Structure formats: structure tokens, C-alpha cells
Amino acid sequence: AEEEQFLGYEEVYGGEVVNDHPDELWIYINGMLTPLEGGKKHCKNMYDMFGRPVKLMHNPTNSVFLDFFECLMGKTGLLRHCTTGPRKFIKQVLEEEMEKDYKKIVLVAHSQGTIITGNVIADFNDIIDGTEECSDEKRALIKDNMSKMEVYLVASAAHYVNGKYVSNLECLSNRGDPVAVFGHLYPEVLKRFWLNTRGAGMLYNDCIDQVEMASWGHYMDSNYLIPIQKGAFSGSKLVTSYLS
């Protein structure tokens, strides 16, 4: 199986890239069944749309079965304490990037990537809350960077989403997205009954809902990025603050 990879700007864009916002860090965490070149293409499209180069946290495609199994592990918490590879990897990368004193950190995650991202945010919340042991220096660093973080979960299938320490967290879903219906769009009255291994129901707290009621589809490019360029999700900060 492939290993997770974190690709910098030159690796994503095939050379030097103009960066008019060097004090911002943008990272894309891809979904299931996204090959490396597909993840790069999403980053390139976002650069064209939002005017910021995007680093790629590539969660590799193994197979339909293995990707789905990994989704299940992340969503139900079966591997909460023996962390799945991508979750452990992105947490480590973010902790390293937080040392660089950015003014803003923006995470854009899609599909399976939303599960991983939601769980990593939960880990950072635990550190800030003091329920996970770490040094005071590390806790202060994470708290400061979380306050500068914006998170955009596209077609979220995450079980646990809690943006209480980030500056902005949005869930963007098409009402007819067949994956988001198992996360972000799962009926609100039923979320507390879908329990993970810790007995916790599905949770979406401190999260701004952005839903296109008449739209369908799950693909990042054709069902989300291209529609955003054409006026979809007009209330999202991605559109109001960044779309060029």
C-alpha cells in the first residue's frame, strides 16, 4: 500500500509558484479514491480560484475496500487510540507547520479527508482542554494556531466535528451528495443515536452549514469547485473572502 505524503508547493505545481500570501498556509486533504495526480489537480484548481497556492496532504488510494475500511475506522473510532496512518501523519505535519508562525492556516478537506481532519481537530481540542498530556509550550502553540485556523469540510462524512477553537469552520455539501448523507447531512434528530466505540453520537458543533439544496454529486472538481466558480455556496467564506 502507498504511504501518506505531504507535498509542498514545488512538488504540487511542478516548480516555483507565485505566492502573494506567504503568511498564509493552505492545505488540501483529499478524499477516497483520489490518486496523487488527482489531488494535485484539485490543488491547482484551488490556486486558480482562490489565489493561494495549496499544499497537498495526500491520503493514498489503496482500493475501494481498503479506503472504505479506513473511512469506517476513522468514523466509528475503532482505532481512536491506535491512530490510523493518515490521522497520525497530518497531526504531525500540522504540529511542525505550526512552528512557522503563519497568520492564517486554512484546511480544505473532501470526503474521507473530512473524517481524518475532524479527528485531528478533536485531538487538538483535547490538548487545549488538557485531557491529552503535552507540555505547556506545545499546548499554547496549538491553541494559538487553532485560533488562526479556518476549516472547510467538503462533502463531510465525519462523525465528530467541533470547531470550538478554530476561527471559522464550514461544512459544504450538496443536498444530493451520497456520502455527505452519512455525515454532515445525516438527519439531525438521529445523529445522537449513531454511536461510535466511545458511545458518542455523531456531533457537529460550532460548524456553519453551507448546503446547496438543489445540487447532486460528490466529486471535488465537477460537483464542488466548478459550481463554486459559477456561484454555488455563495455564503461561504471561500467565496466571499477568497474567490477571484
Side-chain angles (χ1 to χ4, degrees), residues 25 91-102 105 124 138 141-146 148-149:
L25 171 67
K91 185 179 176 184
Q92 178 183 339
V93 167
L94 281 173
E95 288 176 355
E96 291 173 357
E97 290 287 338
M98 285 176 176
E99 298 277 358
K100 299 177 183 178
D101 196 29
Y102 291 102
I105 297 175
F124 286 148
K138 180 179 176 181
L141 178 72
I142 289 173
K143 185 174 183 179
D144 177 57
N145 278 274
M146 289 282 277
K148 300 183 287 188
M149 186 178 289

Side-chain angles (χ1 to χ4, degrees), residues 180-243:
V181 75
F182 292 105
H184 177 215
L185 301 181
Y186 196 69
E188 200 64 39
V189 294
L190 298 178
K191 280 180 178 173
R192 64 191 178 95
F193 297 111
W194 187 344
L195 305 182
N196 62 14
T197 52
R198 293 175 292 124
M202 196 183 301
L203 177 75
Y204 278 72
N205 276 1
D206 294 296
C207 168
I208 301 170
D209 295 322
Q210 306 284 356
V211 181
E212 285 293 324
M213 297 302 294
S215 298
W216 295 74
H218 181 68
Y219 292 110
M220 183 63 171
D221 266 340
S222 57
N223 300 125
Y224 286 96
L225 294 182
I226 291 174
I228 285 174
Q229 288 177 290
K230 295 180 177 179
F233 301 102
S234 58
S236 171
K237 191 174 179 181
L238 281 176
V239 173
T240 60
S241 295
Y242 304 117
L243 185 63

